[in-house]
Amino acid sequence: MSRPHLLWLRRDLRLGDHPALEAAAAPGAPVIPVFVHDPGLGGTWALGAASRWWLDGSLRALDAALRARGSRLVLRSGLAVDTLRALARETKASAVYFTRGYEPFIKPVEIALRDALAEDGVECRRFGGHILNEPEDVMNKSGEPFKVFTPYYKTVLARGEPRAPKPAPETLAAPKTWPKSENLDSWGFQPTKPDWAGGMRAAWTPGEAGAHARLQEFTTAIMRGYGESRNMPGQDGTSRLSPHLAFGEISPHQVWMAVSAAAETAGASGGAESYLREIVWREFSYQLLFHNPRLPDQAFRPEFAPFPFVEDSAGLRAWRRGRTGYPIVDAGMRQLWQTGWMHNRVRMIVASFLIKHLLIDWREGERWFWDTLVDADLANNSSSWQWVAGSGADAAPYFRIFNPVLQGEKFDAEGGYIRRFVPELAGLAPEHIHAPWNAPPAALAKAGVRLGRTYPAPIVDHAKARARALAAYEKIKQA
Ligand code: FAD
């Protein structure tokens, strides 16, 4: 029997359309799929708590799918390079295959792995598949990375349709003996005391099958109206594929193909076009992070570096807990806490509130999202936070400050989203629910709302906060 190939899985937890897996299996060699739990990998950007919860489910689903094909997932913990090297020696593997990453911390690991394996005479083969366009392949006319979305988008479209996705292998050759695997339970990815994951369990099905079921639901029932519904947090109007994409349970090629095909058959081309544009935003974020490794912790536009943020631990606490007194902000923060996800429109509102109303550093919000989002993705998270802060590439202008009341009235007119996540306001009529402090005392009494008791009074005044934010912006403009 030929020597086995190791398949190192990280954020590519699927079997379909998986170039590294396809290549590892092609010669008919036994394949040993392995996931390495390296708790220090990523340093300050090691996996957050919600991501660890998701990963647990995703690894279980992947193992089950592999077993159905005569294979299995080997779990090991330790430093990634040392662990893979040791496993290659132990199994006498002739090669290690993996999907490349784009986070700044992964490049040195990939290089160290290549060098360590070379010393042992083991081949090291790296593949794409997590994004549609490799960052090195899409440059502007001067050969520089793009900093503005629209020309990037046009260039990506001009490259033509992405390649067609490939099916999952039906069987995988197994090694003569399987190396030992650790027990996933012992990694402690599921919270126990307290178990805060109940809302996440109810909302999600991690794993490749869950991803495809959701894609199917999206293309058949949601996509047609996506152009409008994508802005309505109270509706199930977006794909909710973000955690599946973040963990590589589905490839963007699979998504692109399914959405394009559905657009032709269902005549939903408008929805498809806006949707695919978001997929290209994802690509844009990835190339930004790849070319700007400091994106997660440093203002992309250096003129924003001296921005006079304030220390406000009480404000930060109120924001995290969804107790700011602004219903749409609080609903979003509680949706995040309960389900590990927040609607994009509300992400923009809560981020703007933190940065501009509270004048708190965007990195605080970025960190909180990192720990609590099931779709935490270094590229999308850092570029989106910088986008809202005004310091990012092609960012929203800083002086455009969302009014949380108007945003609520516009995108959650009836207040259904707020009622769901802020039940203490459920009895308020639509005309009062977005600004309960302006509601007549009788309306509050009827709804059982006592401001400052059952629900907080606003922690900042919108007009004053707006003026303070604009004054802070003036300071850096003058500097
Ligand atoms: P859909 O509307 O169905 O979009 C489809 C896919 O396109 C998404 O799954 C996602 O992969 C991609 N996408 C959509 N919007 C964006 C965007 N603005 N930028 C880049 N890619 C996008 N997205 C993450 O995946 N991980 C994050 O950590 C993350 N952090 C964010 C932080 C802030 C402050 C903001 C404003 C946005 C953030 N986003 C992040 C982007 C966006 O909010 C989510 O991708 C989206 O809400 C996921 O829901 P969905 O899959 O239903 O999106």
PDB file of all heavy atoms in Angstrom, residues 226 238-242 245 275 278-279 281-282 285 341-342 344 347-348 351 369 373 375-377 380-381 384-385, ligand 1:
ATOM      1  N   TYR A 226     -34.043  39.528  -1.836  1.00  0.00           N
ATOM      2  CA  TYR A 226     -32.859  39.888  -1.034  1.00  0.00           C
ATOM      3  C   TYR A 226     -32.511  41.383  -1.111  1.00  0.00           C
ATOM      4  O   TYR A 226     -32.114  41.978  -0.107  1.00  0.00           O
ATOM      5  CB  TYR A 226     -31.667  39.029  -1.484  1.00  0.00           C
ATOM      6  CG  TYR A 226     -30.372  39.343  -0.774  1.00  0.00           C
ATOM      7  CD1 TYR A 226     -30.125  38.866   0.511  1.00  0.00           C
ATOM      8  CD2 TYR A 226     -29.381  40.118  -1.391  1.00  0.00           C
ATOM      9  CE1 TYR A 226     -28.930  39.154   1.160  1.00  0.00           C
ATOM     10  CE2 TYR A 226     -28.185  40.405  -0.753  1.00  0.00           C
ATOM     11  CZ  TYR A 226     -27.957  39.927   0.522  1.00  0.00           C
ATOM     12  OH  TYR A 226     -26.781  40.204   1.157  1.00  0.00           O
ATOM     13  N   THR A 238     -31.745  37.242   4.788  1.00  0.00           N
ATOM     14  CA  THR A 238     -30.374  37.098   4.270  1.00  0.00           C
ATOM     15  C   THR A 238     -30.025  35.608   4.293  1.00  0.00           C
ATOM     16  O   THR A 238     -30.797  34.790   4.793  1.00  0.00           O
ATOM     17  CB  THR A 238     -29.357  37.886   5.126  1.00  0.00           C
ATOM     18  OG1 THR A 238     -29.304  37.301   6.429  1.00  0.00           O
ATOM     19  CG2 THR A 238     -29.748  39.355   5.265  1.00  0.00           C
ATOM     20  N   SER A 239     -28.850  35.275   3.808  1.00  0.00           N
ATOM     21  CA  SER A 239     -28.550  33.834   3.658  1.00  0.00           C
ATOM     22  C   SER A 239     -28.133  33.167   4.975  1.00  0.00           C
ATOM     23  O   SER A 239     -28.223  31.957   5.092  1.00  0.00           O
ATOM     24  CB  SER A 239     -27.439  33.640   2.625  1.00  0.00           C
ATOM     25  OG  SER A 239     -26.199  34.051   3.158  1.00  0.00           O
ATOM     26  N   ARG A 240     -27.643  33.934   5.918  1.00  0.00           N
ATOM     27  CA  ARG A 240     -27.089  33.367   7.166  1.00  0.00           C
ATOM     28  C   ARG A 240     -26.055  32.271   6.877  1.00  0.00           C
ATOM     29  O   ARG A 240     -25.944  31.283   7.604  1.00  0.00           O
ATOM     30  CB  ARG A 240     -28.192  32.793   8.058  1.00  0.00           C
ATOM     31  CG  ARG A 240     -29.108  33.884   8.572  1.00  0.00           C
ATOM     32  CD  ARG A 240     -30.136  33.345   9.521  1.00  0.00           C
ATOM     33  NE  ARG A 240     -31.135  34.380   9.744  1.00  0.00           N
ATOM     34  CZ  ARG A 240     -31.458  34.875  10.922  1.00  0.00           C
ATOM     35  NH1 ARG A 240     -30.865  34.433  12.006  1.00  0.00           N
ATOM     36  NH2 ARG A 240     -32.365  35.800  11.039  1.00  0.00           N
ATOM     37  N   LEU A 241     -25.320  32.469   5.826  1.00  0.00           N
ATOM     38  CA  LEU A 241     -24.268  31.493   5.506  1.00  0.00           C
ATOM     39  C   LEU A 241     -22.935  31.876   6.132  1.00  0.00           C
ATOM     40  O   LEU A 241     -21.951  31.144   6.016  1.00  0.00           O
ATOM     41  CB  LEU A 241     -24.109  31.378   3.982  1.00  0.00           C
ATOM     42  CG  LEU A 241     -25.172  30.536   3.261  1.00  0.00           C
ATOM     43  CD1 LEU A 241     -24.986  30.621   1.751  1.00  0.00           C
ATOM     44  CD2 LEU A 241     -25.115  29.070   3.712  1.00  0.00           C
ATOM     45  N   SER A 242     -22.884  33.054   6.788  1.00  0.00           N
ATOM     46  CA  SER A 242     -21.579  33.567   7.221  1.00  0.00           C
ATOM     47  C   SER A 242     -20.766  32.607   8.095  1.00  0.00           C
ATOM     48  O   SER A 242     -19.578  32.418   7.835  1.00  0.00           O
ATOM     49  CB  SER A 242     -21.725  34.931   7.886  1.00  0.00           C
ATOM     50  OG  SER A 242     -22.742  34.910   8.862  1.00  0.00           O
ATOM     51  N   LEU A 245     -19.462  29.860   5.855  1.00  0.00           N
ATOM     52  CA  LEU A 245     -18.366  30.317   4.990  1.00  0.00           C
ATOM     53  C   LEU A 245     -17.092  30.543   5.810  1.00  0.00           C
ATOM     54  O   LEU A 245     -15.998  30.218   5.373  1.00  0.00           O
ATOM     55  CB  LEU A 245     -18.761  31.625   4.294  1.00  0.00           C
ATOM     56  CG  LEU A 245     -19.659  31.477   3.067  1.00  0.00           C
ATOM     57  CD1 LEU A 245     -20.292  32.822   2.695  1.00  0.00           C
ATOM     58  CD2 LEU A 245     -18.872  30.925   1.862  1.00  0.00           C
ATOM     59  N   TYR A 275     -26.671  39.883  -4.008  1.00  0.00           N
ATOM     60  CA  TYR A 275     -26.059  38.890  -3.126  1.00  0.00           C
ATOM     61  C   TYR A 275     -24.599  38.619  -3.517  1.00  0.00           C
ATOM     62  O   TYR A 275     -23.699  38.618  -2.661  1.00  0.00           O
ATOM     63  CB  TYR A 275     -26.867  37.589  -3.161  1.00  0.00           C
ATOM     64  CG  TYR A 275     -26.341  36.602  -2.161  1.00  0.00           C
ATOM     65  CD1 TYR A 275     -26.662  36.719  -0.819  1.00  0.00           C
ATOM     66  CD2 TYR A 275     -25.475  35.592  -2.548  1.00  0.00           C
ATOM     67  CE1 TYR A 275     -26.141  35.836   0.116  1.00  0.00           C
ATOM     68  CE2 TYR A 275     -24.949  34.706  -1.620  1.00  0.00           C
ATOM     69  CZ  TYR A 275     -25.292  34.839  -0.288  1.00  0.00           C
ATOM     70  OH  TYR A 275     -24.759  33.976   0.635  1.00  0.00           O
ATOM     71  N   GLU A 278     -22.135  41.001  -2.309  1.00  0.00           N
ATOM     72  CA  GLU A 278     -21.690  40.812  -0.910  1.00  0.00           C
ATOM     73  C   GLU A 278     -20.581  39.763  -0.837  1.00  0.00           C
ATOM     74  O   GLU A 278     -19.642  39.880  -0.044  1.00  0.00           O
ATOM     75  CB  GLU A 278     -22.851  40.391  -0.016  1.00  0.00           C
ATOM     76  CG  GLU A 278     -23.943  41.436   0.147  1.00  0.00           C
ATOM     77  CD  GLU A 278     -23.419  42.798   0.574  1.00  0.00           C
ATOM     78  OE1 GLU A 278     -22.598  42.854   1.506  1.00  0.00           O
ATOM     79  OE2 GLU A 278     -23.819  43.801  -0.039  1.00  0.00           O
ATOM     80  N   ILE A 279     -20.705  38.748  -1.688  1.00  0.00           N
ATOM     81  CA  ILE A 279     -19.636  37.734  -1.718  1.00  0.00           C
ATOM     82  C   ILE A 279     -18.327  38.382  -2.179  1.00  0.00           C
ATOM     83  O   ILE A 279     -17.243  38.048  -1.697  1.00  0.00           O
ATOM     84  CB  ILE A 279     -20.038  36.542  -2.637  1.00  0.00           C
ATOM     85  CG1 ILE A 279     -21.285  35.835  -2.086  1.00  0.00           C
ATOM     86  CG2 ILE A 279     -18.893  35.557  -2.819  1.00  0.00           C
ATOM     87  CD1 ILE A 279     -21.090  35.120  -0.762  1.00  0.00           C
ATOM     88  N   TRP A 281     -17.622  41.528  -1.574  1.00  0.00           N
ATOM     89  CA  TRP A 281     -17.152  42.302  -0.405  1.00  0.00           C
ATOM     90  C   TRP A 281     -16.283  41.406   0.492  1.00  0.00           C
ATOM     91  O   TRP A 281     -15.276  41.831   1.056  1.00  0.00           O
ATOM     92  CB  TRP A 281     -18.331  42.848   0.421  1.00  0.00           C
ATOM     93  CG  TRP A 281     -18.713  44.245   0.040  1.00  0.00           C
ATOM     94  CD1 TRP A 281     -19.798  44.611  -0.674  1.00  0.00           C
ATOM     95  CD2 TRP A 281     -17.998  45.471   0.355  1.00  0.00           C
ATOM     96  NE1 TRP A 281     -19.816  45.977  -0.829  1.00  0.00           N
ATOM     97  CE2 TRP A 281     -18.732  46.530  -0.211  1.00  0.00           C
ATOM     98  CE3 TRP A 281     -16.824  45.760   1.049  1.00  0.00           C
ATOM     99  CZ2 TRP A 281     -18.329  47.864  -0.101  1.00  0.00           C
ATOM    100  CZ3 TRP A 281     -16.424  47.093   1.165  1.00  0.00           C
ATOM    101  CH2 TRP A 281     -17.162  48.119   0.599  1.00  0.00           C
ATOM    102  N   ARG A 282     -16.707  40.166   0.597  1.00  0.00           N
ATOM    103  CA  ARG A 282     -15.912  39.212   1.399  1.00  0.00           C
ATOM    104  C   ARG A 282     -14.510  39.061   0.778  1.00  0.00           C
ATOM    105  O   ARG A 282     -13.492  39.094   1.477  1.00  0.00           O
ATOM    106  CB  ARG A 282     -16.650  37.869   1.444  1.00  0.00           C
ATOM    107  CG  ARG A 282     -15.894  36.745   2.141  1.00  0.00           C
ATOM    108  CD  ARG A 282     -16.767  35.484   2.195  1.00  0.00           C
ATOM    109  NE  ARG A 282     -16.095  34.397   2.893  1.00  0.00           N
ATOM    110  CZ  ARG A 282     -15.380  33.440   2.291  1.00  0.00           C
ATOM    111  NH1 ARG A 282     -15.239  33.443   0.968  1.00  0.00           N
ATOM    112  NH2 ARG A 282     -14.804  32.490   3.004  1.00  0.00           N
ATOM    113  N   SER A 285     -12.453  42.118   1.521  1.00  0.00           N
ATOM    114  CA  SER A 285     -11.919  42.116   2.894  1.00  0.00           C
ATOM    115  C   SER A 285     -10.700  41.199   3.000  1.00  0.00           C
ATOM    116  O   SER A 285      -9.718  41.545   3.653  1.00  0.00           O
ATOM    117  CB  SER A 285     -12.949  41.571   3.886  1.00  0.00           C
ATOM    118  OG  SER A 285     -14.102  42.337   3.883  1.00  0.00           O
ATOM    119  N   TRP A 341     -24.962  35.696  16.414  1.00  0.00           N
ATOM    120  CA  TRP A 341     -25.027  36.334  15.083  1.00  0.00           C
ATOM    121  C   TRP A 341     -25.830  37.613  15.222  1.00  0.00           C
ATOM    122  O   TRP A 341     -26.676  37.728  16.113  1.00  0.00           O
ATOM    123  CB  TRP A 341     -25.731  35.365  14.125  1.00  0.00           C
ATOM    124  CG  TRP A 341     -25.816  35.783  12.688  1.00  0.00           C
ATOM    125  CD1 TRP A 341     -24.880  35.557  11.716  1.00  0.00           C
ATOM    126  CD2 TRP A 341     -26.910  36.453  12.029  1.00  0.00           C
ATOM    127  NE1 TRP A 341     -25.330  36.039  10.508  1.00  0.00           N
ATOM    128  CE2 TRP A 341     -26.572  36.587  10.669  1.00  0.00           C
ATOM    129  CE3 TRP A 341     -28.151  36.938  12.461  1.00  0.00           C
ATOM    130  CZ2 TRP A 341     -27.413  37.200   9.731  1.00  0.00           C
ATOM    131  CZ3 TRP A 341     -28.991  37.557  11.533  1.00  0.00           C
ATOM    132  CH2 TRP A 341     -28.613  37.678  10.193  1.00  0.00           C
ATOM    133  N   MET A 342     -25.545  38.564  14.345  1.00  0.00           N
ATOM    134  CA  MET A 342     -26.360  39.785  14.326  1.00  0.00           C
ATOM    135  C   MET A 342     -26.548  40.190  12.874  1.00  0.00           C
ATOM    136  O   MET A 342     -25.649  39.988  12.045  1.00  0.00           O
ATOM    137  CB  MET A 342     -25.640  40.910  15.081  1.00  0.00           C
ATOM    138  CG  MET A 342     -26.510  42.114  15.409  1.00  0.00           C
ATOM    139  SD  MET A 342     -25.541  43.577  15.841  1.00  0.00           S
ATOM    140  CE  MET A 342     -24.644  43.030  17.257  1.00  0.00           C
ATOM    141  N   ASN A 344     -26.686  42.277   9.526  1.00  0.00           N
ATOM    142  CA  ASN A 344     -25.692  43.247   9.058  1.00  0.00           C
ATOM    143  C   ASN A 344     -26.105  44.699   9.298  1.00  0.00           C
ATOM    144  O   ASN A 344     -25.299  45.518   9.729  1.00  0.00           O
ATOM    145  CB  ASN A 344     -25.406  43.031   7.566  1.00  0.00           C
ATOM    146  CG  ASN A 344     -24.384  44.011   7.050  1.00  0.00           C
ATOM    147  OD1 ASN A 344     -23.261  44.045   7.539  1.00  0.00           O
ATOM    148  ND2 ASN A 344     -24.769  44.835   6.090  1.00  0.00           N
ATOM    149  N   ARG A 347     -25.496  45.383  12.816  1.00  0.00           N
ATOM    150  CA  ARG A 347     -24.051  45.453  13.118  1.00  0.00           C
ATOM    151  C   ARG A 347     -23.549  46.866  12.841  1.00  0.00           C
ATOM    152  O   ARG A 347     -22.756  47.428  13.607  1.00  0.00           O
ATOM    153  CB  ARG A 347     -23.258  44.457  12.251  1.00  0.00           C
ATOM    154  CG  ARG A 347     -23.509  43.014  12.611  1.00  0.00           C
ATOM    155  CD  ARG A 347     -22.545  42.061  11.883  1.00  0.00           C
ATOM    156  NE  ARG A 347     -23.150  40.735  11.815  1.00  0.00           N
ATOM    157  CZ  ARG A 347     -22.502  39.593  11.694  1.00  0.00           C
ATOM    158  NH1 ARG A 347     -21.189  39.590  11.627  1.00  0.00           N
ATOM    159  NH2 ARG A 347     -23.131  38.435  11.639  1.00  0.00           N
ATOM    160  N   MET A 348     -24.017  47.447  11.732  1.00  0.00           N
ATOM    161  CA  MET A 348     -23.548  48.800  11.400  1.00  0.00           C
ATOM    162  C   MET A 348     -24.055  49.806  12.431  1.00  0.00           C
ATOM    163  O   MET A 348     -23.328  50.713  12.838  1.00  0.00           O
ATOM    164  CB  MET A 348     -24.024  49.183   9.993  1.00  0.00           C
ATOM    165  CG  MET A 348     -23.364  48.356   8.920  1.00  0.00           C
ATOM    166  SD  MET A 348     -23.596  49.022   7.268  1.00  0.00           S
ATOM    167  CE  MET A 348     -25.280  48.659   6.932  1.00  0.00           C
ATOM    168  N   ALA A 351     -22.189  49.277  15.830  1.00  0.00           N
ATOM    169  CA  ALA A 351     -20.776  49.660  15.726  1.00  0.00           C
ATOM    170  C   ALA A 351     -20.671  51.179  15.699  1.00  0.00           C
ATOM    171  O   ALA A 351     -19.823  51.776  16.380  1.00  0.00           O
ATOM    172  CB  ALA A 351     -20.161  49.035  14.471  1.00  0.00           C
ATOM    173  N   PHE A 369     -17.008  41.370  19.321  1.00  0.00           N
ATOM    174  CA  PHE A 369     -17.580  40.599  18.201  1.00  0.00           C
ATOM    175  C   PHE A 369     -16.764  39.322  17.994  1.00  0.00           C
ATOM    176  O   PHE A 369     -17.310  38.258  17.721  1.00  0.00           O
ATOM    177  CB  PHE A 369     -17.561  41.438  16.915  1.00  0.00           C
ATOM    178  CG  PHE A 369     -18.804  42.265  16.681  1.00  0.00           C
ATOM    179  CD1 PHE A 369     -19.526  42.792  17.744  1.00  0.00           C
ATOM    180  CD2 PHE A 369     -19.255  42.523  15.396  1.00  0.00           C
ATOM    181  CE1 PHE A 369     -20.673  43.566  17.520  1.00  0.00           C
ATOM    182  CE2 PHE A 369     -20.392  43.275  15.153  1.00  0.00           C
ATOM    183  CZ  PHE A 369     -21.100  43.801  16.214  1.00  0.00           C
ATOM    184  N   LEU A 373     -19.308  36.243  18.137  1.00  0.00           N
ATOM    185  CA  LEU A 373     -19.900  35.883  16.831  1.00  0.00           C
ATOM    186  C   LEU A 373     -19.560  34.449  16.457  1.00  0.00           C
ATOM    187  O   LEU A 373     -18.392  34.048  16.546  1.00  0.00           O
ATOM    188  CB  LEU A 373     -19.324  36.770  15.724  1.00  0.00           C
ATOM    189  CG  LEU A 373     -19.918  38.141  15.456  1.00  0.00           C
ATOM    190  CD1 LEU A 373     -19.051  38.882  14.424  1.00  0.00           C
ATOM    191  CD2 LEU A 373     -21.357  38.059  14.961  1.00  0.00           C
ATOM    192  N   ASP A 375     -19.730  33.694  13.410  1.00  0.00           N
ATOM    193  CA  ASP A 375     -19.090  33.873  12.102  1.00  0.00           C
ATOM    194  C   ASP A 375     -17.824  34.725  12.191  1.00  0.00           C
ATOM    195  O   ASP A 375     -17.369  35.273  11.181  1.00  0.00           O
ATOM    196  CB  ASP A 375     -20.077  34.450  11.074  1.00  0.00           C
ATOM    197  CG  ASP A 375     -20.548  35.882  11.404  1.00  0.00           C
ATOM    198  OD1 ASP A 375     -19.851  36.613  12.119  1.00  0.00           O
ATOM    199  OD2 ASP A 375     -21.633  36.259  10.918  1.00  0.00           O
ATOM    200  N   ALA A 376     -17.252  34.852  13.408  1.00  0.00           N
ATOM    201  CA  ALA A 376     -16.065  35.700  13.572  1.00  0.00           C
ATOM    202  C   ALA A 376     -15.021  35.344  12.507  1.00  0.00           C
ATOM    203  O   ALA A 376     -14.599  34.205  12.409  1.00  0.00           O
ATOM    204  CB  ALA A 376     -15.489  35.530  14.972  1.00  0.00           C
ATOM    205  N   ASP A 377     -14.653  36.346  11.753  1.00  0.00           N
ATOM    206  CA  ASP A 377     -13.779  36.135  10.606  1.00  0.00           C
ATOM    207  C   ASP A 377     -12.840  37.331  10.593  1.00  0.00           C
ATOM    208  O   ASP A 377     -13.296  38.476  10.505  1.00  0.00           O
ATOM    209  CB  ASP A 377     -14.679  36.089   9.359  1.00  0.00           C
ATOM    210  CG  ASP A 377     -13.918  36.020   8.057  1.00  0.00           C
ATOM    211  OD1 ASP A 377     -13.128  36.946   7.766  1.00  0.00           O
ATOM    212  OD2 ASP A 377     -14.122  35.063   7.329  1.00  0.00           O
ATOM    213  N   ASN A 380     -13.282  39.861   7.550  1.00  0.00           N
ATOM    214  CA  ASN A 380     -14.550  40.595   7.509  1.00  0.00           C
ATOM    215  C   ASN A 380     -14.748  41.449   8.758  1.00  0.00           C
ATOM    216  O   ASN A 380     -15.285  42.553   8.683  1.00  0.00           O
ATOM    217  CB  ASN A 380     -15.734  39.621   7.401  1.00  0.00           C
ATOM    218  CG  ASN A 380     -15.931  39.115   5.986  1.00  0.00           C
ATOM    219  OD1 ASN A 380     -15.239  39.536   5.073  1.00  0.00           O
ATOM    220  ND2 ASN A 380     -16.865  38.210   5.815  1.00  0.00           N
ATOM    221  N   ASN A 381     -14.328  40.931   9.902  1.00  0.00           N
ATOM    222  CA  ASN A 381     -14.562  41.676  11.141  1.00  0.00           C
ATOM    223  C   ASN A 381     -13.702  42.935  11.185  1.00  0.00           C
ATOM    224  O   ASN A 381     -14.201  44.030  11.420  1.00  0.00           O
ATOM    225  CB  ASN A 381     -14.279  40.776  12.346  1.00  0.00           C
ATOM    226  CG  ASN A 381     -14.921  41.288  13.620  1.00  0.00           C
ATOM    227  OD1 ASN A 381     -16.031  41.828  13.602  1.00  0.00           O
ATOM    228  ND2 ASN A 381     -14.236  41.127  14.730  1.00  0.00           N
ATOM    229  N   SER A 384     -14.725  45.461   8.448  1.00  0.00           N
ATOM    230  CA  SER A 384     -16.032  46.083   8.689  1.00  0.00           C
ATOM    231  C   SER A 384     -15.961  47.093   9.834  1.00  0.00           C
ATOM    232  O   SER A 384     -16.578  48.161   9.768  1.00  0.00           O
ATOM    233  CB  SER A 384     -17.083  45.031   9.019  1.00  0.00           C
ATOM    234  OG  SER A 384     -17.250  44.139   7.954  1.00  0.00           O
ATOM    235  N   TRP A 385     -15.239  46.738  10.900  1.00  0.00           N
ATOM    236  CA  TRP A 385     -15.115  47.709  12.005  1.00  0.00           C
ATOM    237  C   TRP A 385     -14.411  48.975  11.532  1.00  0.00           C
ATOM    238  O   TRP A 385     -14.807  50.088  11.859  1.00  0.00           O
ATOM    239  CB  TRP A 385     -14.395  47.090  13.214  1.00  0.00           C
ATOM    240  CG  TRP A 385     -15.378  46.359  14.078  1.00  0.00           C
ATOM    241  CD1 TRP A 385     -15.653  45.026  14.075  1.00  0.00           C
ATOM    242  CD2 TRP A 385     -16.274  46.939  15.039  1.00  0.00           C
ATOM    243  NE1 TRP A 385     -16.651  44.741  14.970  1.00  0.00           N
ATOM    244  CE2 TRP A 385     -17.045  45.889  15.579  1.00  0.00           C
ATOM    245  CE3 TRP A 385     -16.502  48.238  15.499  1.00  0.00           C
ATOM    246  CZ2 TRP A 385     -18.034  46.113  16.560  1.00  0.00           C
ATOM    247  CZ3 TRP A 385     -17.475  48.460  16.477  1.00  0.00           C
ATOM    248  CH2 TRP A 385     -18.232  47.401  16.988  1.00  0.00           C
TER     249      TRP A 385
HETATM  250  P1  FAD B   1     -25.667  37.816   3.570  1.00  0.00           P
HETATM  251  O1  FAD B   1     -26.280  39.154   3.439  1.00  0.00           O
HETATM  252  O2  FAD B   1     -26.483  36.664   3.201  1.00  0.00           O
HETATM  253  O3  FAD B   1     -24.311  37.851   2.717  1.00  0.00           O
HETATM  254  C1  FAD B   1     -23.692  36.685   2.174  1.00  0.00           C
HETATM  255  C2  FAD B   1     -22.260  36.583   2.570  1.00  0.00           C
HETATM  256  O4  FAD B   1     -21.510  37.676   2.043  1.00  0.00           O
HETATM  257  C3  FAD B   1     -22.023  36.607   4.060  1.00  0.00           C
HETATM  258  O5  FAD B   1     -22.216  35.342   4.618  1.00  0.00           O
HETATM  259  C4  FAD B   1     -20.592  37.087   4.147  1.00  0.00           C
HETATM  260  O6  FAD B   1     -19.681  36.044   3.958  1.00  0.00           O
HETATM  261  C5  FAD B   1     -20.496  38.052   2.965  1.00  0.00           C
HETATM  262  N1  FAD B   1     -20.754  39.421   3.415  1.00  0.00           N
HETATM  263  C6  FAD B   1     -21.948  40.020   3.597  1.00  0.00           C
HETATM  264  N2  FAD B   1     -21.789  41.309   3.985  1.00  0.00           N
HETATM  265  C7  FAD B   1     -20.463  41.506   4.051  1.00  0.00           C
HETATM  266  C8  FAD B   1     -19.653  42.626   4.387  1.00  0.00           C
HETATM  267  N3  FAD B   1     -20.193  43.817   4.717  1.00  0.00           N
HETATM  268  N4  FAD B   1     -18.321  42.482   4.370  1.00  0.00           N
HETATM  269  C9  FAD B   1     -17.752  41.307   4.011  1.00  0.00           C
HETATM  270  N5  FAD B   1     -18.458  40.204   3.687  1.00  0.00           N
HETATM  271  C10 FAD B   1     -19.791  40.310   3.694  1.00  0.00           C
HETATM  272  N6  FAD B   1     -19.003  39.118   8.528  1.00  0.00           N
HETATM  273  C11 FAD B   1     -18.404  37.953   8.845  1.00  0.00           C
HETATM  274  O7  FAD B   1     -18.515  36.980   8.088  1.00  0.00           O
HETATM  275  N7  FAD B   1     -17.636  37.851   9.976  1.00  0.00           N
HETATM  276  C12 FAD B   1     -17.449  38.891  10.826  1.00  0.00           C
HETATM  277  O8  FAD B   1     -16.726  38.748  11.819  1.00  0.00           O
HETATM  278  C13 FAD B   1     -18.115  40.118  10.532  1.00  0.00           C
HETATM  279  N8  FAD B   1     -18.012  41.180  11.369  1.00  0.00           N
HETATM  280  C14 FAD B   1     -18.668  42.350  11.068  1.00  0.00           C
HETATM  281  C15 FAD B   1     -18.539  43.457  11.916  1.00  0.00           C
HETATM  282  C16 FAD B   1     -19.207  44.650  11.638  1.00  0.00           C
HETATM  283  C17 FAD B   1     -19.043  45.829  12.558  1.00  0.00           C
HETATM  284  C18 FAD B   1     -20.017  44.747  10.487  1.00  0.00           C
HETATM  285  C19 FAD B   1     -20.740  46.021  10.165  1.00  0.00           C
HETATM  286  C20 FAD B   1     -20.125  43.670   9.620  1.00  0.00           C
HETATM  287  C21 FAD B   1     -19.461  42.466   9.882  1.00  0.00           C
HETATM  288  N9  FAD B   1     -19.556  41.356   9.015  1.00  0.00           N
HETATM  289  C22 FAD B   1     -18.897  40.186   9.333  1.00  0.00           C
HETATM  290  C23 FAD B   1     -20.222  41.483   7.699  1.00  0.00           C
HETATM  291  C24 FAD B   1     -21.716  41.104   7.666  1.00  0.00           C
HETATM  292  O9  FAD B   1     -22.410  41.746   8.692  1.00  0.00           O
HETATM  293  C25 FAD B   1     -21.950  39.589   7.771  1.00  0.00           C
HETATM  294  O10 FAD B   1     -21.142  38.907   6.844  1.00  0.00           O
HETATM  295  C26 FAD B   1     -23.416  39.246   7.483  1.00  0.00           C
HETATM  296  O11 FAD B   1     -24.267  39.923   8.352  1.00  0.00           O
HETATM  297  C27 FAD B   1     -23.587  37.743   7.629  1.00  0.00           C
HETATM  298  O12 FAD B   1     -24.918  37.372   7.472  1.00  0.00           O
HETATM  299  P2  FAD B   1     -25.398  36.603   6.171  1.00  0.00           P
HETATM  300  O13 FAD B   1     -24.543  35.417   5.920  1.00  0.00           O
HETATM  301  O14 FAD B   1     -26.853  36.372   6.307  1.00  0.00           O
HETATM  302  O15 FAD B   1     -25.120  37.690   5.042  1.00  0.00           O
END
